[in-house]
Amino acid sequence: MTSKRQRIVDALIERMQLIKGVNGYRTDIGEDVHDWEIHFQQEDIGKDGAISVCDMPAEAVNSEGRSNPQETIWKMPVQIRCFFGRDVSPKIVRDAIADINDAIRLDDRLRVDGGPGLVMISRPLREGVVKPQDSFELMGGIVEFEVQYITKKFNSEE
């Protein structure tokens, strides 16, 4: 069975793949979506850019008043990173950030196949344009948010 964490990432990748002009978005960055790819070369990035879904280290949330809970509540930051070639305009990066937010807003509980949400809570943390240090060349953008989800204690699948 696949871990709940992987199912969350898979659902986010599927959601990001919706970001195309034919679906009413501003950009077509959803044409090129990856799971934790961050080492793009200039020639690897198409004219519409690329997205990488990055799940960051999760922390267990303390269950107040319960001495031995049988579930673990996880708080996990997620970064959706978008990458573009050096000649991209800041407007395109901002449009991609807006599209990523729009795609998440479709269902921030990440329901799959009409079932219950994979996450209990989603909340925005930060977003913006990312550029290399000591340079004014534009590289891309980031949308960071956190999700909370529950698994059984020491069981990543349920």
Side-chain angles (χ1 to χ4, degrees):
M1 183 173 214
T2 305
S3 73
K4 192 165 199 181
R5 185 182 184 112
Q6 184 62 53
R7 293 193 316 264
I8 291 167
V9 170
D10 290 344
L12 286 167
I13 288 171
E14 188 174 308
R15 185 71 58 78
M16 295 301 109
Q17 290 171 334
L18 295 175
I19 301 175
K20 298 174 187 159
V22 297
N23 293 330
Y25 290 93
R26 298 161 194 84
T27 69
D28 287 317
I29 196 166
E31 294 284 345
D32 194 8
V33 180
H34 303 267
D35 183 347
W36 253 108
E37 177 61 52
I38 57 171
H39 297 290
F40 290 99
Q41 299 299 317
Q42 174 76 24
E43 59 273 6
D44 297 334
I45 300 173
K47 69 175 181 61
D48 297 317
I51 287 178
S52 186
V53 177
C54 305
D55 55 322
M56 309 307 282
E59 289 184 29
V61 176
N62 189 11
S63 298
E64 296 293 326
R66 297 177 72 189
S67 62
N68 189 17
Q70 295 306 299
E71 303 87 27
T72 302
I73 300 172
W74 294 101
K75 181 169 63 172
M76 180 177 71
V78 176
Q79 291 182 353
I80 308 290
R81 300 175 185 186
C82 53
F83 299 85
F84 294 91
R86 288 186 187 94
D87 57 346
V88 69
S89 76
K91 179 189 181 317
I92 298 290
V93 177
R94 290 185 200 106
D95 284 347
I97 289 169
D99 283 346
I100 291 166
N101 279 304
D102 289 349
I104 294 167
R105 190 175 60 243
L106 287 174
D107 173 19
D108 67 354
R109 301 268 320 272
L110 299 177
R111 290 173 185 86
V112 177
D113 297 329
L118 292 171
V119 302
M120 305 176 326
I121 298 169
S122 295
R123 45 175 84 87
L125 295 176
R126 67 186 181 131
E127 66 176 41
V129 174
V130 178
K131 54 188 173 182
Q133 290 183 336
D134 303 323
S135 172
F136 290 103
E137 293 180 27
L138 202 55
M139 287 185 64
I142 187 171
V143 174
E144 185 172 6
F145 57 102
E146 80 178 15
V147 298
Q148 286 188 13
Y149 64 97
I150 298 176
T151 62
K152 293 188 184 206
K153 187 163 72 173
F154 297 110
N155 182 341
S156 64
E157 296 173 358
E158 297 181 35

